[in-house]
Amino acid sequence: MPISTKILEPHEAAQGTWIAVIEGWHVRAESRSHAQRIIDTCKMVAAAAKKEAKAEIRTALGLRAYGDHAPR
């Protein structure tokens, strides 16, 4: 399931602060590109965590990883 993200543009009261919204959490950014990098990093971390979780489940079930021929 993908994480929900969006970028909020600054308005006069915010004094030019961009906001990256990730799963409802607001993170301040210096520019639009900075906000986009924050979002990209969060998505990369989420994908890595998902991949690691799948590997842990395979290990717990006693399944071998691709290319791993050693018995478990």
Side-chain angles (χ1 to χ4, degrees):
M1 176 178 228
I3 61 174
S4 66
T5 61
K6 65 181 170 180
I7 297 175
L8 302 179
E9 295 184 11
H11 59 289
E12 294 176 15
Q15 301 174 0
T17 301
W18 289 79
I19 304 291
V21 182
I22 304 152
E23 292 290 323
W25 292 87
H26 292 70
V27 181
R28 290 183 184 168
E30 297 173 358
S31 64
R32 179 170 181 74
S33 62
H34 183 216
Q36 188 62 53
R37 284 194 313 269
I38 291 169
I39 288 173
D40 292 345
T41 301
C42 288
K43 287 182 177 182
M44 182 181 63
V45 169
K50 183 177 179 181
K51 185 176 180 180
E52 184 63 28
K54 283 182 179 180
E56 288 294 325
I57 290 169
R58 289 181 61 81
T59 301
L61 294 174
L63 302 174
R64 292 188 286 202
Y66 179 75
D68 182 5
H69 302 291
R72 294 187 185 231

